[in-house]
Amino acid sequence: NAGVMQNPRHLVRRRGQEARLRCSPMKGHSHVYWYRQLPEEGLKFMVYLQKENIIDESGMPKERFSAEFPKEGPSILRIQQVVRGDSAAYFCASSPVRLADTGELFFGEGSRLTVL
Amino acid sequence: GENVEQHPSTLSVQEGDSAVIKCTYSDSASNYFPWYKQELGKRPQLIIDIRSNVGEKKDQRIAVTLNKTAKHFSLHITETQPEDSAVYFCAVAGGTSYGKLTFGQGTILTVHP
C-alpha cells in the first residue's frame, strides 16, 4: 500500500506565476488535509477536504489560494500569482476516517515551493 | 479555535539522559493527542498518540502522559540516543477542531554523544 504521494517534490516559480501541488492519498483514505510549513517553523493547517467537498478552509489565505479534491484524481492545492512569502514546504496528509473518530494522519513527503 | 503551546523550543541532552517536552491546549473537548518527529527535510512521522480515555501510553523508550483536567500532555523519551535528534511536534484534534490537527510550535531536540 503506497503512502501519501505528493508531486512535484520541488517546484520553482517566479513571482506572479501559478503553482499547482498534487496529492494522492493513501488507498482507501477519503480525508485529505493540507499543511504549510515555513522554514524553521511549525505546521499550519490550511484546508481539510473530503471527496468533492471542502470541509474546513479556515487556514487558507482569502486570496490566491484554492484547493480541490475531485471525485477522480488527486487533491490539488493551487496558488495563483505567487509571491516570495509563499515559499514553504506544503505537506499533504490523509486519513481513513475523521481524526476525532480513531483516525490517524499520514503525511506525504511534501512539496517544496521556492518563489524567485 | 484551538491554541496549542509547546515548551521548550530547544532541548539539549546528553546521550542516555531523559527528555521531556510539554504541551498545553485550550479546547477542553479535544480528544486526540499525537506526537510527531520530523527530521531535517523529511515529513512528520507519528511516533506515539493518546486519546482522552487514557492517561498514559508507553512504547519502548517513548511515553506520553495526558492530564485532561489541566489540559496538558507530555512526551517522555528515556535513554536518549543521537538518532533521537530531530524536531518534535505535539498536536491536538477533536472538540471544535474535529477534522484537523492543530500543531505546537515544535521542539528541537539535540542528543549529544
Side-chain angles (χ1 to χ4, degrees):
Chain A
N1 188 6
V4 178
M5 305 299 291
Q6 289 189 248
N7 69 82
R9 293 291 309 279
H10 300 276
L11 182 63
V12 179
R13 286 287 178 266
R14 295 191 180 280
R15 282 178 295 171
Q17 291 184 320
E18 178 179 288
R20 281 190 180 227
L21 310 177
R22 297 174 196 80
C23 169
S24 296
M26 289 181 69
K27 187 177 181 181
H29 287 196
S30 60
H31 300 250
V32 166
Y33 312 79
W34 285 93
Y35 285 82
R36 176 164 64 176
Q37 187 173 37
L38 294 169
E40 300 184 5
E41 291 192 11
L43 293 129
K44 301 296 184 186
F45 169 79
M46 298 184 75
V47 62
Y48 162 34
L49 311 105
Q50 285 184 267
K51 283 288 187 181
E52 300 184 275
N53 290 305
I54 296 175
I55 306 301
D56 183 345
E57 56 180 350
S58 58
M60 288 279 272
K62 292 289 185 278
E63 298 177 347
R64 302 189 297 109
F65 285 72
S66 62
E68 63 177 6
F69 188 16
K71 187 177 180 181
E72 301 290 338
S75 174
I76 295 175
L77 179 67
R78 181 183 178 203
I79 311 172
Q80 295 178 288
Q81 299 172 357
V82 296
V83 300
R84 289 212 173 112
D86 296 333
S87 296
Y90 292 83
F91 286 96
C92 172
S94 72
S95 66
V97 297
R98 197 176 66 168
L99 274 181
D101 301 328
T102 73
E104 176 187 333
L105 213 56
F106 296 84
F107 280 87
E109 293 292 347
S111 290
R112 282 153 182 83
L113 172 65
T114 301
V115 180
L116 301 177
Chain B
E2 179 73 85
N3 184 40
V4 181
E5 296 288 333
Q6 182 173 345
H7 298 281
S9 56
T10 61
L11 181 59
S12 184
V13 299
Q14 290 295 128
E15 183 176 1
D17 287 350
S18 295
V20 180
I21 304 170
K22 298 181 180 180
C23 284
T24 60
Y25 60 97
S26 58
D27 187 347
S28 57
S30 295
N31 64 350
Y32 179 54
F33 309 92
W35 285 89
Y36 286 83
K37 176 183 180 182
Q38 187 179 30
E39 297 175 345
L40 190 62
K42 301 287 188 180
R43 64 186 173 94
Q45 288 193 290
L46 180 71
I47 55 172
I48 196 166
D49 59 7
I50 192 168
R51 294 196 180 268
S52 60
N53 56 338
V54 295
E56 183 174 356
K57 184 177 178 181
K58 191 172 182 180
D59 182 4
Q60 298 183 352
R61 297 186 298 108
I62 294 173
V64 56
T65 58
L66 172 65
N67 184 330
K68 284 218 76 181
T69 302
K71 290 189 284 186
H72 68 70
F73 58 111
S74 300
L75 176 71
H76 304 253
I77 306 175
T78 58
E79 300 170 28
T80 54
Q81 302 166 3
E83 49 266 39
D84 293 331
S85 297
V87 182
Y88 291 81
F89 292 97
C90 64
V92 176
T96 57
S97 310
Y98 66 89
K100 67 188 183 190
L101 281 175
T102 300
F103 283 83
Q105 299 86 346
T107 296
I108 301 172
L109 174 65
T110 304
V111 181
H112 299 282

